mmCIF file with all atom_site columns, all heavy atoms in Angstrom:
data_model
loop_
_atom_site.group_PDB
_atom_site.id
_atom_site.type_symbol
_atom_site.label_atom_id
_atom_site.label_alt_id
_atom_site.label_comp_id
_atom_site.label_asym_id
_atom_site.label_entity_id
_atom_site.label_seq_id
_atom_site.pdbx_PDB_ins_code
_atom_site.Cartn_x
_atom_site.Cartn_y
_atom_site.Cartn_z
_atom_site.occupancy
_atom_site.B_iso_or_equiv
_atom_site.pdbx_formal_charge
_atom_site.auth_seq_id
_atom_site.auth_comp_id
_atom_site.auth_asym_id
_atom_site.auth_atom_id
_atom_site.pdbx_PDB_model_num
ATOM 1   N N   . GLY A 1 28 ? -8.997  46.957 2.377  1.00 0.00 ? 206 GLY A N   1
ATOM 2   C CA  . GLY A 1 28 ? -9.333  46.181 1.187  1.00 0.00 ? 206 GLY A CA  1
ATOM 3   C C   . GLY A 1 28 ? -8.484  44.952 0.990  1.00 0.00 ? 206 GLY A C   1
ATOM 4   O O   . GLY A 1 28 ? -8.763  44.139 0.097  1.00 0.00 ? 206 GLY A O   1
ATOM 5   N N   . SER A 1 29 ? -7.439  44.817 1.811  1.00 0.00 ? 207 SER A N   1
ATOM 6   C CA  . SER A 1 29 ? -6.519  43.683 1.640  1.00 0.00 ? 207 SER A CA  1
ATOM 7   C C   . SER A 1 29 ? -6.687  42.605 2.707  1.00 0.00 ? 207 SER A C   1
ATOM 8   O O   . SER A 1 29 ? -5.956  41.620 2.694  1.00 0.00 ? 207 SER A O   1
ATOM 9   C CB  . SER A 1 29 ? -5.069  44.195 1.666  1.00 0.00 ? 207 SER A CB  1
ATOM 10  O OG  . SER A 1 29 ? -4.859  45.131 0.634  1.00 0.00 ? 207 SER A OG  1
ATOM 11  N N   . TYR A 1 30 ? -7.626  42.775 3.640  1.00 0.00 ? 208 TYR A N   1
ATOM 12  C CA  . TYR A 1 30 ? -7.827  41.758 4.665  1.00 0.00 ? 208 TYR A CA  1
ATOM 13  C C   . TYR A 1 30 ? -8.262  40.444 4.022  1.00 0.00 ? 208 TYR A C   1
ATOM 14  O O   . TYR A 1 30 ? -9.102  40.427 3.119  1.00 0.00 ? 208 TYR A O   1
ATOM 15  C CB  . TYR A 1 30 ? -8.899  42.198 5.663  1.00 0.00 ? 208 TYR A CB  1
ATOM 16  C CG  . TYR A 1 30 ? -8.367  43.067 6.779  1.00 0.00 ? 208 TYR A CG  1
ATOM 17  C CD1 . TYR A 1 30 ? -8.768  44.384 6.902  1.00 0.00 ? 208 TYR A CD1 1
ATOM 18  C CD2 . TYR A 1 30 ? -7.462  42.552 7.713  1.00 0.00 ? 208 TYR A CD2 1
ATOM 19  C CE1 . TYR A 1 30 ? -8.274  45.203 7.917  1.00 0.00 ? 208 TYR A CE1 1
ATOM 20  C CE2 . TYR A 1 30 ? -6.973  43.358 8.734  1.00 0.00 ? 208 TYR A CE2 1
ATOM 21  C CZ  . TYR A 1 30 ? -7.376  44.679 8.829  1.00 0.00 ? 208 TYR A CZ  1
ATOM 22  O OH  . TYR A 1 30 ? -6.897  45.462 9.840  1.00 0.00 ? 208 TYR A OH  1
ATOM 23  N N   . PRO A 1 31 ? -7.713  39.321 4.486  1.00 0.00 ? 209 PRO A N   1
ATOM 24  C CA  . PRO A 1 31 ? -8.119  38.022 3.917  1.00 0.00 ? 209 PRO A CA  1
ATOM 25  C C   . PRO A 1 31 ? -9.620  37.760 4.040  1.00 0.00 ? 209 PRO A C   1
ATOM 26  O O   . PRO A 1 31 ? -10.209 37.124 3.167  1.00 0.00 ? 209 PRO A O   1
ATOM 27  C CB  . PRO A 1 31 ? -7.306  37.021 4.753  1.00 0.00 ? 209 PRO A CB  1
ATOM 28  C CG  . PRO A 1 31 ? -6.121  37.786 5.236  1.00 0.00 ? 209 PRO A CG  1
ATOM 29  C CD  . PRO A 1 31 ? -6.631  39.177 5.458  1.00 0.00 ? 209 PRO A CD  1
ATOM 30  N N   . ALA A 1 32 ? -10.237 38.287 5.103  1.00 0.00 ? 210 ALA A N   1
ATOM 31  C CA  . ALA A 1 32 ? -11.655 37.999 5.324  1.00 0.00 ? 210 ALA A CA  1
ATOM 32  C C   . ALA A 1 32 ? -12.532 38.541 4.196  1.00 0.00 ? 210 ALA A C   1
ATOM 33  O O   . ALA A 1 32 ? -13.547 37.933 3.839  1.00 0.00 ? 210 ALA A O   1
ATOM 34  C CB  . ALA A 1 32 ? -12.103 38.594 6.657  1.00 0.00 ? 210 ALA A CB  1
ATOM 35  N N   . VAL A 1 33 ? -12.137 39.706 3.620  1.00 0.00 ? 211 VAL A N   1
ATOM 36  C CA  . VAL A 1 33 ? -12.983 40.299 2.580  1.00 0.00 ? 211 VAL A CA  1
ATOM 37  C C   . VAL A 1 33 ? -12.908 39.514 1.284  1.00 0.00 ? 211 VAL A C   1
ATOM 38  O O   . VAL A 1 33 ? -13.736 39.706 0.391  1.00 0.00 ? 211 VAL A O   1
ATOM 39  C CB  . VAL A 1 33 ? -12.609 41.770 2.336  1.00 0.00 ? 211 VAL A CB  1
ATOM 40  C CG1 . VAL A 1 33 ? -12.684 42.580 3.617  1.00 0.00 ? 211 VAL A CG1 1
ATOM 41  C CG2 . VAL A 1 33 ? -11.217 41.889 1.720  1.00 0.00 ? 211 VAL A CG2 1
ATOM 42  N N   . ALA A 1 34 ? -11.917 38.636 1.177  1.00 0.00 ? 212 ALA A N   1
ATOM 43  C CA  . ALA A 1 34 ? -11.809 37.831 -0.042 1.00 0.00 ? 212 ALA A CA  1
ATOM 44  C C   . ALA A 1 34 ? -12.979 36.869 -0.184 1.00 0.00 ? 212 ALA A C   1
ATOM 45  O O   . ALA A 1 34 ? -13.258 36.359 -1.274 1.00 0.00 ? 212 ALA A O   1
ATOM 46  C CB  . ALA A 1 34 ? -10.486 37.058 -0.036 1.00 0.00 ? 212 ALA A CB  1
ATOM 47  N N   . MET A 1 35 ? -13.679 36.587 0.930  1.00 0.00 ? 213 MET A N   1
ATOM 48  C CA  . MET A 1 35 ? -14.832 35.680 0.875  1.00 0.00 ? 213 MET A CA  1
ATOM 49  C C   . MET A 1 35 ? -16.052 36.347 0.251  1.00 0.00 ? 213 MET A C   1
ATOM 50  O O   . MET A 1 35 ? -17.016 35.674 -0.100 1.00 0.00 ? 213 MET A O   1
ATOM 51  C CB  . MET A 1 35 ? -15.173 35.211 2.288  1.00 0.00 ? 213 MET A CB  1
ATOM 52  C CG  . MET A 1 35 ? -14.084 34.350 2.919  1.00 0.00 ? 213 MET A CG  1
ATOM 53  S SD  . MET A 1 35 ? -14.556 33.693 4.538  1.00 0.00 ? 213 MET A SD  1
ATOM 54  C CE  . MET A 1 35 ? -14.661 35.200 5.510  1.00 0.00 ? 213 MET A CE  1
ATOM 55  N N   . VAL A 1 36 ? -16.016 37.688 0.128  1.00 0.00 ? 214 VAL A N   1
ATOM 56  C CA  . VAL A 1 36 ? -17.147 38.408 -0.450 1.00 0.00 ? 214 VAL A CA  1
ATOM 57  C C   . VAL A 1 36 ? -17.019 38.377 -1.978 1.00 0.00 ? 214 VAL A C   1
ATOM 58  O O   . VAL A 1 36 ? -16.012 38.838 -2.526 1.00 0.00 ? 214 VAL A O   1
ATOM 59  C CB  . VAL A 1 36 ? -17.183 39.861 0.048  1.00 0.00 ? 214 VAL A CB  1
ATOM 60  C CG1 . VAL A 1 36 ? -18.366 40.602 -0.564 1.00 0.00 ? 214 VAL A CG1 1
ATOM 61  C CG2 . VAL A 1 36 ? -17.254 39.902 1.565  1.00 0.00 ? 214 VAL A CG2 1
ATOM 62  N N   . PRO A 1 37 ? -17.995 37.841 -2.676 1.00 0.00 ? 215 PRO A N   1
ATOM 63  C CA  . PRO A 1 37 ? -17.897 37.714 -4.142 1.00 0.00 ? 215 PRO A CA  1
ATOM 64  C C   . PRO A 1 37 ? -18.171 39.044 -4.854 1.00 0.00 ? 215 PRO A C   1
ATOM 65  O O   . PRO A 1 37 ? -19.145 39.193 -5.583 1.00 0.00 ? 215 PRO A O   1
ATOM 66  C CB  . PRO A 1 37 ? -18.983 36.681 -4.458 1.00 0.00 ? 215 PRO A CB  1
ATOM 67  C CG  . PRO A 1 37 ? -20.002 36.891 -3.394 1.00 0.00 ? 215 PRO A CG  1
ATOM 68  C CD  . PRO A 1 37 ? -19.246 37.254 -2.147 1.00 0.00 ? 215 PRO A CD  1
ATOM 69  N N   . SER A 1 38 ? -17.303 40.013 -4.609 1.00 0.00 ? 216 SER A N   1
ATOM 70  C CA  . SER A 1 38 ? -17.463 41.328 -5.229 1.00 0.00 ? 216 SER A CA  1
ATOM 71  C C   . SER A 1 38 ? -16.077 41.935 -5.441 1.00 0.00 ? 216 SER A C   1
ATOM 72  O O   . SER A 1 38 ? -15.194 41.787 -4.592 1.00 0.00 ? 216 SER A O   1
ATOM 73  C CB  . SER A 1 38 ? -18.308 42.243 -4.324 1.00 0.00 ? 216 SER A CB  1
ATOM 74  O OG  . SER A 1 38 ? -18.276 43.569 -4.801 1.00 0.00 ? 216 SER A OG  1
ATOM 75  N N   . PRO A 1 39 ? -15.903 42.632 -6.574 1.00 0.00 ? 217 PRO A N   1
ATOM 76  C CA  . PRO A 1 39 ? -14.604 43.288 -6.829 1.00 0.00 ? 217 PRO A CA  1
ATOM 77  C C   . PRO A 1 39 ? -14.433 44.583 -6.054 1.00 0.00 ? 217 PRO A C   1
ATOM 78  O O   . PRO A 1 39 ? -13.407 45.249 -6.175 1.00 0.00 ? 217 PRO A O   1
ATOM 79  C CB  . PRO A 1 39 ? -14.643 43.548 -8.334 1.00 0.00 ? 217 PRO A CB  1
ATOM 80  C CG  . PRO A 1 39 ? -16.087 43.752 -8.641 1.00 0.00 ? 217 PRO A CG  1
ATOM 81  C CD  . PRO A 1 39 ? -16.836 42.817 -7.717 1.00 0.00 ? 217 PRO A CD  1
ATOM 82  N N   . LEU A 1 40 ? -15.447 44.942 -5.236 1.00 0.00 ? 218 LEU A N   1
ATOM 83  C CA  . LEU A 1 40 ? -15.420 46.234 -4.553 1.00 0.00 ? 218 LEU A CA  1
ATOM 84  C C   . LEU A 1 40 ? -14.183 46.393 -3.671 1.00 0.00 ? 218 LEU A C   1
ATOM 85  O O   . LEU A 1 40 ? -13.494 47.414 -3.736 1.00 0.00 ? 218 LEU A O   1
ATOM 86  C CB  . LEU A 1 40 ? -16.677 46.403 -3.699 1.00 0.00 ? 218 LEU A CB  1
ATOM 87  C CG  . LEU A 1 40 ? -16.711 47.662 -2.808 1.00 0.00 ? 218 LEU A CG  1
ATOM 88  C CD1 . LEU A 1 40 ? -16.681 48.921 -3.668 1.00 0.00 ? 218 LEU A CD1 1
ATOM 89  C CD2 . LEU A 1 40 ? -17.947 47.643 -1.907 1.00 0.00 ? 218 LEU A CD2 1
ATOM 90  N N   . PHE A 1 41 ? -13.901 45.380 -2.854 1.00 0.00 ? 219 PHE A N   1
ATOM 91  C CA  . PHE A 1 41 ? -12.789 45.506 -1.927 1.00 0.00 ? 219 PHE A CA  1
ATOM 92  C C   . PHE A 1 41 ? -11.444 45.543 -2.654 1.00 0.00 ? 219 PHE A C   1
ATOM 93  O O   . PHE A 1 41 ? -10.499 46.191 -2.214 1.00 0.00 ? 219 PHE A O   1
ATOM 94  C CB  . PHE A 1 41 ? -12.818 44.368 -0.900 1.00 0.00 ? 219 PHE A CB  1
ATOM 95  C CG  . PHE A 1 41 ? -13.939 44.486 0.087  1.00 0.00 ? 219 PHE A CG  1
ATOM 96  C CD1 . PHE A 1 41 ? -15.075 43.686 -0.015 1.00 0.00 ? 219 PHE A CD1 1
ATOM 97  C CD2 . PHE A 1 41 ? -13.872 45.414 1.103  1.00 0.00 ? 219 PHE A CD2 1
ATOM 98  C CE1 . PHE A 1 41 ? -16.111 43.812 0.893  1.00 0.00 ? 219 PHE A CE1 1
ATOM 99  C CE2 . PHE A 1 41 ? -14.898 45.552 2.024  1.00 0.00 ? 219 PHE A CE2 1
ATOM 100 C CZ  . PHE A 1 41 ? -16.030 44.752 1.913  1.00 0.00 ? 219 PHE A CZ  1
#
Side-chain angles (χ1 to χ4, degrees):
S207 301
Y208 275 115
V211 304
M213 294 185 294
V214 180
S216 170
L218 174 63
F219 289 104

